[in-house]
Amino acid sequence: MSKPPFLALPAGAEARTLDTDRGAFAAHFAGRRERGTALLVPGFTGSKEDFIALLEPLAARGFAVAAVDGRGQHETPGPDDEAAYGLGELAADLLAQARALGGEVHVVGHSLGGLVAREAVLRDASPFASLTLMSSGPAAVAEEQQARVKTLIGALAVLDLESVWQAMRALDPPEAADDGTPADVAGFLHRRWMNTRPAQLIAAGRLLIEERDRVAELAGVELPKHVLSGAVDYAWPVERLDRMAARLRAHRTVVPGAEHSPNVDQPAVTATALADFWASIA
């Protein structure tokens, strides 16, 4: 679960909806579209707040930024039907978001968001200027993580969200109680979990354990590609991401001192890597 370092929007940023032909999506916006637009897609159990520390540095480089809650995530409503959260539906939403933003859209998908962004590009790459897969791999997550996701799916099928949350907290290591998380961020994490639709969590979890390798298909799409990750990743080991980048002939960035969420762990370095990549293909 990504943990934003803070919650206050930087000066000039705003929270509002992104209205599309597939509905309205809660979003954070920042910057002016001088050099294009960054569309930031959160991962499993995540939300737009996971990118909050990227807003200011990306805007400072001349990019408009939109970080968006997908359907059923946090502040974007969604139905209780798991079929509504299939990969095709999520990709269609993302394409609608890109159309609504217009112009040159650089899409960045974190973790599960990378699988969604990949599907969108495979369906129609025309709205996008580039694709960045951030801590998002070639197929299903690593075997150990598959077991964890399956356990979570099973729990969500029989328990309410609060009960699952309490069960997860009971499994936290003792040091997690004193990890320095600000009280407002800790409260937000619980609130976000409770706001997310159970059907979204279950369907998204299944995507993480069932997705097949589509790297060869993606390599055939004429679009600049970037694979960015931390130096350690528990969902997709870094060596798998290295191999995927080579197969894609993609630009590769490894962010020192970061793990599965470079956008949270090392936001300044991550923002620089993103903006430098986009500038290199302008």
Side-chain angles (χ1 to χ4, degrees):
M1 180 181 296
S2 289
K3 185 186 300 182
F6 54 84
L7 297 174
L9 287 172
E14 61 175 336
R16 57 181 171 85
T17 58
L18 173 61
D19 295 317
T20 79
D21 56 24
R22 285 178 63 86
F25 297 84
H28 287 162
F29 292 89
R32 300 176 63 180
R33 192 169 62 191
E34 299 168 2
R35 304 177 69 183
T37 299
L39 173 55
L40 310 180
V41 187
F44 183 54
T45 73
S47 67
K48 61 191 178 302
E49 286 78 9
D50 296 333
F51 301 108
I52 202 162
L54 298 184
L55 299 179
E56 189 169 33
L58 291 179
R61 291 288 296 270
F63 295 95
V65 189
V68 183
D69 288 344
R71 64 165 67 189
Q73 281 185 316
H74 190 31
E75 294 182 324
T76 295
D80 293 325
D81 179 7
E82 289 177 37
Y85 303 100
L87 192 56
E89 292 295 320
L90 301 181
D93 287 348
L94 184 54
L95 287 164
Q97 292 163 14
R99 290 193 298 269
L101 291 168
E104 291 193 352
V105 176
H106 299 281
V107 62
V108 179
H110 174 234
S111 192
L112 171 74
L115 300 181
V116 175
R118 179 175 75 177
E119 179 70 17
V121 165
L122 288 172
R123 287 172 175 245
D124 181 8
S126 63
F128 303 112
S130 72
L131 166 65
T132 295
L133 301 173
M134 180 189 292
S135 305
S136 185
V141 293
E143 290 72 15
E144 180 180 345
Q145 294 306 310
Q146 288 187 39
R148 292 168 65 94
V149 174
K150 288 176 183 176
T151 298
L152 179 59
I153 290 172
L156 287 165
V158 297
L159 299 172
D160 59 52
L161 284 172
E162 180 62 29
S163 297
V164 176
W165 176 266
Q166 295 301 332
M168 290 191 298
R169 298 291 68 79
L171 294 173
D172 286 341
E175 60 269 22
D178 189 26
D179 65 356
T181 302
D184 62 335
V185 173
F188 162 77
L189 295 175
H190 178 250
R191 187 165 63 252
R192 176 174 69 182
W193 173 261
M194 296 301 297
N195 283 348
T196 302
R197 305 305 303 170
Q200 192 273 351
L201 291 166
I202 292 171
R206 290 202 174 106
L207 289 176
L208 289 174
I209 61 178
E210 295 174 358
E211 179 66 355
R212 59 190 177 88
D213 188 322
R214 303 187 68 189
V215 175
E217 294 174 70
L218 185 61
V221 177
E222 292 295 327
L223 187 72
K225 304 174 188 75
H226 183 193
V227 175
L228 184 150
S229 74
V232 175
D233 197 294
Y234 56 82
W236 288 276
V238 171
E239 55 270 21
R240 292 191 194 180
L241 300 176
D242 291 340
R243 291 194 296 268
M244 180 180 74
R247 293 169 65 195
L248 291 171
R249 300 179 299 278
H251 182 70
R252 179 73 171 108
T253 298
V254 176
V255 178
E259 297 189 7
H260 186 61
S261 297
N263 45 308
V264 170
D265 298 335
Q266 296 289 343
V269 177
T270 299
T272 296
L274 291 169
D276 286 352
F277 169 65
W278 297 332
S280 75
I281 61 175

